[in-house]
Amino acid sequence: MAKVFIMRGLPGAGKTTWIRNNIPDAFICSADNYFLDEAGIYKFDCLFISEAHESCLKCFAEILISHKDETENEHLVIVVDNTAIRAWEISPYYNLAKAYGHDVKVVSIKCDSDLAHSRNIHGVPLERVEKMDEGLIGETLPSFWNVEVVEQVSDD
Ligand SMILES: Nc1ncnc2c1ncn2[C@@H]1O[C@H](COP(=O)(O)OP(=O)(O)OP(=O)(O)O)[C@@H](O)[C@H]1O
Ligand SMILES: [Mg+2]
């Protein structure tokens, strides 16, 4: 059984930082990787969001498949690093990981939209962050999902 973490939170909420601090050796699947050029520079293009998420899900599925015959998966840690505002964005990862018998947790990084916007390194406009926050607040995840909420606080 591997450990699978599915991150959730606004742009700038601190998902990637949390991964770095808590599970530094994890395999990371992220739609953001699709927008990295050969030099590792992030070049977002909203026309390719679907492709980016398809590529992320494929990356995740391939890791699960490539480890499926291992009886000893205790040290395998996989993390999905997307904003994952809506339950439908989380479901494919959650269900696939459970189907392969892994231990799954959604790590929801709770952060005020102003703080997240002030920290966000991907240039997401405040209006978009606020809209995403409305979605986040309005969305109820299935009660049977394993969810941990991590509160972010301003350091000023
Ligand atoms: N707990 C924290 N205290 C102070 N600064 C933080 C904290 N967590 C993250 N940051 C800073 O906030 C910025 C954004 O964090 P990070 O890149 O982890 O966010 P993210 O949720 O991964 O955003 P995105 O969805 O855009 O990838 C970074 O500069 C990071 O150093
Ligand atoms: Mg990130």
Side-chain angles (χ1 to χ4, degrees):
M1 184 190 276
K3 286 197 184 311
V4 174
F5 294 88
I6 304 171
M7 305 306 296
R8 183 176 191 231
L10 298 173
K15 301 177 295 297
T16 306
T17 306
W18 186 92
I19 294 166
R20 221 175 278 137
N21 292 340
N22 293 280
I23 43 170
D25 298 326
F27 280 99
I28 302 178
C29 301
S30 174
D32 280 337
N33 293 341
Y34 188 87
F35 299 109
L36 296 175
D37 70 10
E38 279 156 22
I41 311 287
Y42 183 75
K43 290 187 175 159
F44 180 73
D45 184 340
C46 63
L47 293 177
F48 291 95
I49 289 178
S50 293
E51 285 82 351
H53 282 281
E54 286 157 14
S55 164
C56 181
L57 183 59
K58 189 176 176 198
C59 158
F60 183 73
E62 285 178 350
I63 294 172
L64 296 186
I65 291 162
S66 66
H67 291 274
K68 76 176 171 34
D69 295 326
E70 291 175 21
T71 49
E72 303 281 327
N73 265 332
E74 270 80 53
H75 302 295
L76 179 64
V77 184
I78 311 164
V79 58
V80 183
D81 187 11
N82 296 324
T83 52
I85 302 299
R86 302 290 184 176
W88 64 261
E89 298 174 273
I90 301 170
S91 294
Y93 297 96
Y94 203 105
N95 292 340
L96 208 51
K98 290 297 280 183
Y100 277 91
H102 300 308
D103 180 22
V104 190
K105 186 194 269 187
V106 176
V107 178
S108 189
I109 309 285
K110 199 171 166 194
C111 184
D112 175 79
S113 54
D114 287 326
L115 180 61
H117 176 257
S118 72
R119 287 179 176 171
N120 112 74
I121 53 170
H122 286 133
V124 183
L126 180 60
E127 308 79 67
R128 176 90 193 107
V129 175
E130 285 174 341
K131 199 84 195 149
M132 291 172 88
D133 197 30
E134 279 172 30
L136 196 63
I137 291 163
E139 189 80 352
T140 305
L141 302 185
S143 57
F144 52 87
W145 278 5
N146 181 20
V147 180
E148 178 186 339
V149 177
V150 176
E151 299 258 359
Q152 290 286 57
V153 286
S154 172
D155 40 19
D156 35 69

